[in-house]
Every structure is written in structure tokens, then in C-alpha cells.
Amino acid sequence: MMIIPITEGKRRSGYTPTSERPSTTTTPRLINYRIREIVPRYRDVDIKCAISEMLQRTGRIHCGEDVVALFGFLAWETRENLYALHLDTKHRILCLDQVSLGSLSSSIVHPREVFKSILVSSAAAAIFVHNHPSGDPAPSHEDKKIHQRLTEAGELLGIRVLDHLIIGRNGAFESLVSPGFGAQNENFSRP
């Protein structure tokens, strides 16, 4: 909880926009306090689509192919989408979060925004998934940099980043954790 004092007729910086110099002996009189309370909340939402059926069948993520099966619809999106899968310690899906909706060739991703919802859901691990509208899942230099930043932020927060997958067309995908290894990623087998 953060308490912010509000002063009567004064700016917070103490600057008075007059030609007279303020007295150094007087202190601003406090009238009341504004209290901001941060309450983490999330709610369960029923979704009725192909993803909900896949989530019920999958339950637990075993490999990259499980993730690709869930996010195959991204292959035909015309804009970059970044999703975060929040997982518990047994790699069961807790939450699905669309972190960013970008343009044709890029998406703005900041670790602060990505991990905000992961912390609220109390996830132990995360998998990031995004698409390339071109259909080519080959990672760009920016993809590698973002993955590195997200992995480092996850380590600081105690949240394992199991993988970061790029979805292409016709079932093609690339793993940024194990390039060319995608479906058999060892990180998934060790909860």
C-alpha cells in the first residue's frame, strides 16, 4: 500500500509559482491522504473455441508439439501475436495470456508487461509463443534478444522459461531454447 500526502494549494514538488520566495520555516499543512491499494486479481473465463477443447485434452504440456497444436491458428494471422502460457510445477496450464498484438513485422515486448500477469497467476514456469506472419518460423535477431531478456527476467523472479516457440505455416515451428530441436525439448520433461 502506498500513501501519498496531498497538500492544500501546493504542488507536490513544493514549488510555488510566484515571484516571492517561500518561507523556509513553514511546512505545508496536510489535509488528507490518498491511499492506493494494489490488489492482484484474475478471473476465470469460460472460452468456447478450439483452444478450450485442446486445453481440456492436453492438460499438461509435454513438448513443443503440444504447444504448436494449441497455437496452430497463429500460422495464418496477419499480425505478430505473443502469448504466454502460465504453467504450474507439473506443467499444467494455469493461464493463457495474450501479451502483445503487433504489426506485420514486429511486436513490442517488455519483460515488465510479460511477467506482470505471470506473477498474478502464481505460475512456476512459462512458455512464450509468437508467430511470424510471413509463415517462416526462423528467429530474427530481435526474437533472440527478446528471448534472452525474458529468460534473464524469469531467472530473477524464480520463474522458469521453458521455451519460446515461433509458429510458422504448415505445422512448422522453431524453438529459441533448442534451435532445430523443438518437439523434443528436454526442459519439458523435468517439472
Side-chain angles (χ1 to χ4, degrees):
M1 186 165 22
M2 179 172 39
I3 299 175
I4 305 166
I6 302 172
T7 59
E8 184 176 17
K10 303 271 185 190
R11 295 182 183 193
R12 280 192 201 161
S13 66
Y15 171 74
T16 309
T18 64
S19 59
E20 296 176 16
R21 192 164 190 191
S23 170
T24 56
T25 59
T26 61
T27 58
R29 194 184 82 188
L30 298 177
I31 335 175
N32 58 9
Y33 291 93
R34 179 186 312 156
I35 298 174
R36 292 185 185 164
E37 183 178 11
I38 298 171
V39 181
R41 295 183 194 188
Y42 67 96
R43 58 190 171 111
D44 294 330
V45 179
D46 290 330
I47 53 173
K48 299 194 184 312
C49 63
I51 290 180
S52 67
E53 292 173 19
M54 285 296 292
L55 287 171
Q56 288 174 0
R57 279 192 303 236
T58 304
R60 182 171 178 234
I61 300 296
H62 298 281
C63 62
E65 287 178 340
D66 289 346
V67 178
V68 172
L70 281 172
F71 291 94
F73 68 93
L74 287 177
W76 301 101
E77 290 291 322
T78 57
R79 295 163 67 179
E80 272 200 20
N81 291 263
L82 174 69
Y83 283 86
L85 265 167
H86 306 194
L87 306 173
D88 66 8
T89 56
K90 304 245 187 237
H91 300 169
R92 292 179 298 221
I93 299 169
L94 294 172
C95 183
L96 174 69
D97 181 27
Q98 183 179 25
V99 176
S100 177
L101 177 61
S103 64
L104 176 66
S105 60
S106 67
S107 183
I108 297 172
V109 179
H110 194 283
R112 176 183 59 233
E113 299 303 317
V114 173
F115 283 96
K116 182 170 43 175
S117 64
I118 294 173
L119 290 169
V120 170
S121 70
S122 297
I127 298 173
F128 302 111
V129 184
H130 80 274
N131 66 312
H132 283 173
S134 67
D136 179 12
S140 67
H141 177 68
E142 290 81 20
D143 291 337
K144 292 174 184 176
K145 273 179 37 180
I146 288 168
H147 172 68
Q148 182 64 33
R149 287 183 70 200
L150 292 174
T151 302
E152 289 170 359
E155 287 173 8
L156 283 172
L157 296 168
I159 298 169
R160 287 184 60 206
V161 175
L162 296 178
D163 209 339
H164 186 149
L165 300 167
I166 302 171
I167 306 289
R169 294 215 176 102
N170 301 321
F173 70 98
E174 188 66 43
S175 167
L176 287 168
V177 169
S178 305
F181 198 57
Q184 303 154 17
N185 189 335
E186 292 177 14
N187 286 332
F188 289 91
S189 61
R190 285 185 258 124

